[in-house]
């Protein structure tokens, strides 16, 4: 920081469009944001000033002093940004006493327009066929599976002098890895990620200034099928069925010299191409690397003299109109997992246990090799009854990687263009294997982790960790359903039900900003959102209830969490079109018409009537669209959709409820939707709550919900005075329950409540993932309910907090969350009849604090009566709680609680 923090007010955590120091910003008016910290109670900003300068020091824009005590961001409103330019910006925050503190950051623009590109799409000439050896054990037959070798591309160039700046602008139809003078460029994996290539292709920007040499240089790439031309989804189509037929690269290297001139090295017909030693690389099938075909130094300047096997690159296309700068964080190798155990199964076959189900790959040091030896690595989530690798639930995903040895007796094998979901790996083809020679490499989109939770129950802690690992495993470029089988699609319902949990675990603003582009792109001309995004052949286009509604629910929740109205602005038209679509086809306001699938409350033990569920979502989407329009000042739309929502709610009550508060279908999910979406007249709510509680108690207490109900059950019970039942469900250990899988060795959340039971073994392999985050939606309530870290209704961006712990039978819990405003934390303990609650409220925020107590008059804050505590005002008592309000700062409350 450039300013002195001391204990006073100071900004930190500066972001441009929710990213720290981003390269390649194409947004003409990016959002510049900051967080606030202070060591003083009651501290709040009085105003701010943002200044933006070009990299040469010239002032570009200055907000002037802005008196706004709630601001933690501002949109750039200066002159048009120039392409490929670094801008430095500072924010100065002033407190009520006039003291100020400053912090600095930067962002760099990208191309800003597709017309700025000159590069062409290039690849290896597809008419040149390779001669390949016949496949051996563990290796897929290329012809039978529609697989093809990865492509190598390179361009030699001269630099008369070292540039003052060098930027590589690059993307692929497929997945790429760039190298410059033998060094890897960047650390992104599976770049550029998955988009619907028919609508847009994301590009990335890399600062390669330090890699360019004076004199001879070599820019090189390896490009593999990826999502573009490989296997995608759960159909059995071969390469090219979804998007394209062979991988392609598009890149421009810009060298900026001291005199202000720029040289551009762009992909085109003057590049060289060759098939790579990667005989095939597929996201679902796996990767085969043949070291006999390796040519060391191919990516170095001297390698240009060896032209054997190299051909002129083939120009596949010149259309650059779909190029857009990446807005989401890249997939990265974020951590490594040592092998927990390695056991010889038989002969040269070993079983490796990493102790954690995750998404990624294996790094293997293979020793004692002779030329042509094949080392085969198979992946699986579980072991069968005989203790062997269980792979039936992978369906057609082979998930097998192969190393073919070259001349060296030792080699390190780590696939670069595939990933798998697994806990166990079976390695075949080695005489010996030590635990130190095998490592699990975890891959996921590098969303900054923002939340922490812990409590006194080790099982609940393990549940939180399982939920977190499920999020990591399935946030790989897009929010997938599962990382192991032949699917890995961006299902909309899974994402929308898990989003509240995801936002508390990590900063997912940029990640979902990128994915929402795909959601909008998949919307039909009639206004129907799809079931999956990116859009893909073979999956029904029209969104099912609860699935298509994610196009409304996700932007709304992101706005609430991050306070960024652009989530609403960018999606409002699509939200309106979706509600209009449902209304147009269901003019009687009961959603019964469908042309696509209806997944209902997916995998629920007790099915909810489809018209009940669908109409509830119809009302919810209409209501949130109205609220979004109101926030944006679209008064006519707000009135229209508000009236529609009221009419649907009225129709729901008339059609599906009885005078005693019963809801048609009489399932837990039916009541949860009706209560959570506020669809019942006030007089029917008590009866509905009673019946919901009865259904929970009759089940064990237990759950009978599926994907759409599971995230609502704890918050709804809690909101209506039955947190005791929410806690009972949380700590239940028989199926269906969250803890049952953990008692059977799970380290991630299962797709099914009963994915495996001792009585029946594995559920049907056709749909039985052991790493699927949807049922982990209870994670939200661990933060909001158990730890008590919440936002007040109507708040956005954590300006108004609600701190209300629900201890249940626990003796301690804590949560910490890095909000867009600053750190929010809660920590409570209960021992010897004393309840202690510590909280931290960021500057500029206020908190309504509910302290459970049997003696409201005896509550203390930092040892003094709460009514006398600085920064605290008492609001009253209700239902065994003392309610008060605080400003920012740290507080410690103590109270009597039996």
């Amino acid at each position: 920081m450039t300013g002195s923090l001391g204990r006073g007010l100071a900004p930190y955590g500066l972001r441009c469009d929710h990213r720290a120091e981003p390269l390649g910003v194409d947004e003409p008016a990016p959002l510049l944001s900051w967080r606030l910290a202070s060591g003083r109670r009651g501290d709040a900003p009085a105003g701010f000033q943002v200044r933006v300068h070009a990299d040469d020091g010239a002032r570009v824009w200055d907000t002037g002093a802005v008196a706004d005590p709630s601001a933690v961001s501002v949109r750039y409103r200066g002159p048009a940004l120039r392409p490929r330019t670094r801008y430095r910006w500072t924010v100065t925050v002033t407190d009520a006493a006039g003291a100020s503190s400053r912090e600095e950051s930067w962002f760099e623009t990208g191309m800003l327009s597709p017309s700025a590109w000159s590069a062409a799409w290039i690849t290896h000439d597809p008419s040149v066929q390779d001669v390949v050896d016949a496949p051996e054990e563990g290796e897929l037959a290329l012809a039978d599976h529609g697989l093809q070798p990865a492509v190598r591309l390179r361009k030699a160039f001269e630099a008369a002098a070292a540039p003052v700046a060098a930027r590589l602008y690059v993307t692929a139809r497929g997945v790429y890895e760039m190298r410059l003078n033998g060094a890897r460029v960047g650390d992104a994996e599976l770049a550029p990620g998955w988009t619907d290539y028919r609508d847009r292709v994301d590009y990335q920007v890399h600062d390669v200034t330090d890699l360019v040499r004076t004199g001879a240089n070599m820019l090189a790439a390896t490009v593999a099928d990826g999502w573009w031309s490989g296997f995608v989804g759960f159909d059995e189509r071969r390469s090219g069925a979804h998007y394209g037929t062979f991988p392609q690269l598009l890149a421009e290297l810009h060298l900026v010299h001291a005199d202000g001139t720029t040289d551009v090295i762009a992909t085109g017909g003057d590049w060289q191409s060759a098939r790579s030693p990667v005989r095939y690389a597929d996201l679902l099938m796996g990767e085969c690397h043949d070291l006999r075909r390796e040519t060391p130094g191919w990516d170095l300047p001297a390698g240009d003299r060896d032209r054997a096997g190299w051909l002129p690159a083939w120009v596949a296309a010149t259309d650059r109109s779909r190029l857009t700068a990446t807005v989401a964080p890249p997939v990265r190798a974020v951590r490594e997992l040592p092998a927990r155990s390695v056991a010889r199964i038989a002969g040269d076959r070993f079983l490796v246990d990493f102790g954690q189900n995750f998404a990624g790959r294996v790094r293997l040091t293979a020793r004692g090799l002779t030329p042509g030896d094949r080392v085969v690595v198979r992946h699986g989530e579980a072991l069968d009854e005989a203790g062997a690798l269980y792979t039936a639930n992978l369906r057609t995903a082979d998930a097998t990687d192969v190393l073919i040895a070259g001349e060296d007796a030792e080699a390190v094998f780590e696939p670069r263009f595939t990933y798998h979901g697994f806990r166990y790996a079976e390695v075949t083809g080695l005489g010996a294997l030590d635990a130190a020679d095998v490592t699990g490499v975890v891959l996921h989109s590098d969303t900054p982790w923002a939340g922490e939770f812990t409590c006194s129950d080790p099982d609940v802690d393990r549940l939180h960790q399982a939920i977190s690992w499920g999020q990591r495993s399935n946030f790989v470029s897009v929010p997938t359903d599962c990382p192991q089988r032949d699917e890995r699609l961006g299902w909309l319902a899974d994402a929308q039900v898990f989003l509240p949990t995801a936002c508390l675990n990590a900063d997912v603003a940029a990640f979902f900003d990128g994915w929402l582009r795909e959601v909008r792109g998949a919307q039909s001309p009639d206004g129907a959102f799809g079931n999956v995004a990116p859009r893909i052949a073979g999956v029904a286009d029209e969104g099912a209830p609860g699935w298509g509604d994610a196009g409304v629910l996700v932007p709304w929740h992101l706005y609430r969490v991050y306070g960024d109205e652009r989530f609403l602005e960018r999606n409002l038209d699509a939200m309106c079109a979706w509600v209009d679509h449902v209304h147009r086809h269901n003019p009687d306001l009961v959603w019964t018409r469908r042309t696509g699938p209806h997944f209902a409350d997916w995998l629920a033990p007790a099915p909810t009537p489809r018209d009940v569920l669908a109409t509830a979502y119809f009302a919810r989407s209409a209501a949130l669209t109205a609220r979004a329009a109101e926030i944006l000042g679209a008064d006519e739309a707000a009135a229209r959709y508000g009236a529609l929502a009221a009419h649907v709610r009225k129709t729901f009550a008339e059609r599906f409820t009885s005078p005693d508060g019963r809801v048609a279908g009489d399932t837990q999910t039916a009541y949860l939707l009706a209560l959570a979406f506020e669809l019942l007249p006030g007089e029917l709510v008590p009866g509905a709550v009673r019946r919901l509680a009865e259904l929970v108690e009759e089940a064990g207490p237990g759950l009978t919900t599926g994907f759409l109900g599971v995230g609502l059950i704890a918050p709804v019970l809690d909101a209506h005075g039955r947190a005791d039942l929410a806690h009972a469900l949380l700590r239940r250990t028989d199926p269906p329950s969250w803890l049952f899988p953990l008692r059977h060795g799970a380290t991630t959340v299962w797709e099914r409540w009963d994915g495996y039971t001792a009585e029946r073994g594995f559920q049907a392999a056709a749909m039985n993932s052991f790493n699927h985050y949807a049922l982990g939606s209870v994670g939200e309530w661990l933060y909001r309910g158990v730890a008590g870290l919440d936002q007040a209704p109507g708040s956005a961006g954590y300006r108004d907090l609600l701190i209300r712990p629900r201890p249940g039978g626990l003796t301690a819990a804590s949560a910490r969350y890095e909000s867009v405003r600053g750190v929010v934390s809660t920590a409570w303990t209960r021992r010897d009849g004393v309840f202690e609650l510590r909280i931290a409220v960021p500057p500029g925020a206020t908190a309504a604090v509910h302290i459970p107590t049997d003696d409201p008059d005896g509550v203390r804050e930092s040892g003094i009566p709460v009514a006398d505590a600085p920064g605290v005002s008492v609001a009253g008592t209700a239902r065994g709680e003392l309610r008060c309000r605080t400003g920012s700062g740290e507080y410690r409350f103590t109270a009597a609680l039996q």
Side-chain angles (χ1 to χ4, degrees), residues 205-219:
V205 184
H206 301 280
D207 183 347
V208 294
T209 308
D210 294 340
L211 298 181
V212 179
R213 306 171 181 171
T214 300
N217 291 265
M218 180 69 79
L219 180 60

Side-chain angles (χ1 to χ4, degrees), residues 618-692:
F618 183 10
R620 182 62 168 169
S621 285
L624 293 184
T625 299
R627 292 173 70 181
E630 181 181 9
I631 288 166
L632 297 177
D635 296 339
E636 182 180 348
R640 179 158 60 94
Y641 291 105
L644 175 62
H647 292 151
V648 179
R649 284 197 299 269
K650 183 173 183 292
T651 301
F652 182 95
E654 292 172 349
R655 180 74 173 265
F656 299 124
T657 65
S658 61
D660 61 355
R662 296 230 173 182
V663 179
D666 199 34
T667 66
Q668 291 180 7
T669 295
Y671 291 101
L672 292 170
L673 293 171
L675 291 166
F677 296 172
E678 300 177 339
L679 304 181
L680 303 179
E683 66 273 12
L684 299 186
V685 169
V689 172
R690 282 194 300 272
R691 183 55 185 156
L692 171 62

